[in-house]
Structures are given as structure tokens and as C-alpha cells.
């Protein structure tokens, strides 16, 4: 068993280094698919939240790196690691993982096809990773100014989303249940751009609000209020969602300045706000 584990570790390291060459930041995983290194702060319950600022390893997805020397350091610190995780949401790919599970008793692939028909999008040719349980991971690339959150079953039963702060088990990893492998004919592909209609489904739904009259109508004011209610970490996501709705409803140009002003009140800069709104315009087929 020890020899097998050493071989699995060597193979995982080779695959992790190859992924890093493609711009994918990686961490080490154990056979349970969890990060292989434990937190250096686990014995100090009073320690403030740390995302690696302390300089030590063991911060989960925050350890993710494309530096080959750092990757070797991660594996050296966790010689029991038999796999690696690929961090989502990071440049240059801003990876979004569509996890089509088989353990829930539902046909997640059929659910995705139904969503595609209902919302008029097509899943492009992209990297597909086969899981030991018979599931599939679809790799898609998101825009740099949109934060896609992680979710489980929100899109449809059996479909989990890996977004910012999440990770996907990389092909070549070995777990207690078997090995992950790239589907034939997809290993050479880069993550394809997420279809705009699917991207909008992946963003969080708006909270209930009480719009007031404005020059763009109650709906326009409601979108502005939706942006104003954003907390840190969701400002760009809410702004992008609101701008998409505005352009789809034909009030995008009239709502640009109110949305920018709302975004400024949440802490975004004007440049960030206008770039996000321009991205929403392009996503919905309009000229920014």
C-alpha cells in the first residue's frame, strides 16, 4: 500500500505541475478529497481568520499556486497526498466547475440539457473530467469581473457549482473511490467561456426589496437598491446581475449612471463599476 501511495503521490505531483503550466493554481489533496495539510491555527481557537498571511502552509484553497517550487513544497509537506485540487475563480481562467453528480439518484446530465433548452444556451466543447462515481466535471471560464459563488443543488438537483473559494479535484488524482481522469478528446482543450445565459443562472438571486419611483420606473429603482444592499465580496456580482437585468429589460443605458452611483456607495471605484456594467452589456448582446 505504501508503494502504491508513493506512486499516486508522484503521479499527482506530475499532473499538478502540468496543470500549473496551463495557468491553473493547485493545492494538495488527501484520499478523502480534502486539503492534505491541516490548518496551522487549529490548536488556537482565538486566532483571527487567516488566509495564509502568516506565511505557513495549511490554508486550504488559499495555498493554491502555479509556482512549481511552491507546488513541490506543498507535496513535500504532505507526502501522503494522492491528489491535487484546482482552485476556481482565479486568473487567468477564472474557472467555474459544473459538477454533474450521480449519487443523488437524479439524472444531472439530463437536468443540464433541460436547462440549456429552456434558457437557450449550449455547453461548448471544453475540458471534461470523469469522476470515480461516474459523474463529470465540466470546466468553464468566467469573466474576470464576476464572482460566481459555490452552490449545491441550487441550479438543479445533482448539479453542484464550484466557483470562487472552491476547488475541483484534478485529473490524475486518486481517492478512496478511484481515480479522476480527463474524458477522451478533451485533455487538449482550454476551459471554454461560460455561456452568458448559464452565467446569469449561476449568480445569486436578488433579495426582496421595496422599490421607489424613479425615471427608469420601479424596476430600475429596484435594481439600484439591489446593488446598494451589496456586502463586501458580492459587490461586483450584484452589480453585474443588476446591469444584465437592466439591459435585458431595455433600460440599461438609462440605468448606467444610477448603477455606477450605487456601486460607488458600496465601495467600488468608478472604473471598476463601469467595467462591470460594460461587461454585462456585452454579455447581453448590447454595446456598452
Amino acid at each position: 500500500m505504501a508503494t502504491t501511495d508513493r506512486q499516486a503521490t508522484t503521479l499527482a505531483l506530475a499532473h499538478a505541475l502540468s496543470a500549473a503550466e496551463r495557468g491553473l493554481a493547485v493545492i494538495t489533496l488527501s484520499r478523502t478529497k480534502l486539503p492534505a495539510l491541516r490548518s496551522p491555527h487549529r490548536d488556537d481557537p482565538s486566532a483571527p481568520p487567516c488566509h495564509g498571511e502568516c506565511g505557513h502552509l495549511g490554508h486550504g484553497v488559499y495555498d493554491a499556486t502555479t509556482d512549481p517550487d511552491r507546488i513541490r513544497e506543498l507535496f513535500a509537506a504532505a507526502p501522503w497526498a494522492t491528489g491535487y485540487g484546482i482552485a476556481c475563480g482565479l486568473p487567468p481562467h477564472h474557472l467555474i466547475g459544473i459538477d454533474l453528480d450521480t449519487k443523488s439518484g437524479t439524472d444531472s446530465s439530463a437536468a443540464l440539457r433541460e436547462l440549456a433548452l429552456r434558457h437557450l444556451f449550449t455547453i461548448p466543447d471544453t475540458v471534461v473530467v470523469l469522476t470515480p462515481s461516474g459523474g463529470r466535471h465540466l470546466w468553464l471560464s468566467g469573466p474576470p469581473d464576476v464572482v460566481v459563488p459555490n452552490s449545491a443543488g441550487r441550479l438543479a438537483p445533482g448539479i453542484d457549482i464550484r466557483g470562487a473559494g472552491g476547488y475541483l479535484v484534478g485529473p490524475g488524482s486518486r481517492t478512496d473511490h478511484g481515480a479522476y481522469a480527463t474524458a477522451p478528446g478533451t485533455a487538449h482543450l482550454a476551459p471554454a467561456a461560460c455561456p452568458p445565459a448559464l452565467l446569469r443562472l449561476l449568480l445569486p438571486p436578488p433579495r426582496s426589496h421595496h422599490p421607489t419611483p424613479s425615471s427608469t420606473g420601479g424596476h430600475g429603482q429596484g435594481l439600484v437598491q439591489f446593488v446598494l444592499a451589496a456586502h463586501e465580496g458580492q459587490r461586483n456580482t450584484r452589480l453585474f446581475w443588476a446591469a444584465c437585468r437592466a439591459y435585458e429589460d431595455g433600460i440599461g443605458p438609462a440605468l448606467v449612471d444610477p448603477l455606477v452611483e450605487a456601486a460607488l456607495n458600496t465601495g467600488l471605484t468608478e472604473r471598476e463599476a463601469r467595467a462591470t456594467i460594460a461587461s454585462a452589456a456585452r454579455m447581453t448582446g448590447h454595446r456598452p
Side-chain angles (χ1 to χ4, degrees):
M1 177 64 73
T3 300
T4 302
D5 279 352
R6 282 197 295 270
Q7 291 172 343
T9 300
T10 301
L11 185 62
L13 172 58
H15 279 284
L17 290 170
S18 178
E21 288 181 359
R22 300 172 64 185
L24 299 166
V26 302
I27 59 173
T28 50
L29 299 180
S30 69
R31 282 185 171 270
T32 63
K33 300 188 293 186
L34 294 174
L37 294 171
R38 298 180 65 189
S39 168
H41 311 293
R42 61 186 179 276
D43 297 325
D44 184 4
S46 63
C50 179
H51 295 160
E53 296 88 352
C54 66
H56 298 290
L57 300 176
H59 295 85
V61 73
Y62 297 104
D63 286 344
T65 180
T66 58
D67 182 339
D69 291 335
R70 186 71 166 175
I71 294 171
R72 292 188 181 93
E73 183 182 351
L74 285 168
F75 274 88
W80 54 87
T82 59
Y84 66 102
I86 297 174
C88 297
L90 300 180
H93 298 291
H94 303 280
L95 191 64
I96 301 168
I98 311 295
D99 183 354
L100 302 177
D101 201 356
T102 59
K103 293 178 290 187
S104 60
T106 60
D107 190 339
S108 54
S109 294
L112 182 61
R113 288 194 296 271
E114 182 181 341
L115 282 170
L117 287 172
R118 188 189 314 158
H119 296 278
L120 304 178
F121 66 83
T122 302
I123 297 295
D125 291 337
T126 192
V127 181
V128 178
V129 175
L130 307 179
T131 75
S133 63
R136 294 183 298 150
H137 293 169
L138 311 182
W139 292 13
L140 297 173
S141 178
D145 50 1
V146 176
V147 178
V148 174
N150 296 284
S151 64
R154 186 178 71 81
L155 191 66
I159 301 180
D160 296 342
I161 304 301
R162 300 289 180 262
Y167 62 86
L168 292 163
V169 180
S173 297
R174 181 165 290 278
T175 70
D176 286 333
H177 301 288
Y180 285 69
T182 310
T186 71
H188 68 286
L189 300 174
C194 183
L198 174 57
L199 182 63
R200 290 194 291 274
L201 294 177
L202 302 182
L203 298 179
R207 295 178 180 176
S208 59
H209 51 259
H210 304 283
T212 56
S214 75
S215 60
T216 54
H219 180 58
Q221 184 61 21
L223 294 175
V224 171
Q225 293 297 325
F226 176 65
V227 173
L228 286 170
H231 300 296
E232 187 174 0
Q234 58 180 205
R235 296 173 299 190
N236 261 318
T237 301
R238 280 178 167 254
L239 177 60
F240 180 79
W241 190 94
C244 284
R245 298 287 81 74
Y247 277 104
E248 288 171 344
D249 295 343
I251 59 174
L255 211 60
V256 168
D257 288 339
L259 286 176
V260 168
E261 184 177 352
L264 292 176
N265 283 318
T266 68
L268 291 179
T269 67
E270 181 173 356
R271 180 177 180 181
E272 289 172 325
R274 292 193 181 278
T276 296
I277 294 171
S279 179
R282 290 190 294 271
M283 282 286 182
T284 53
H286 297 80
R287 295 187 63 181

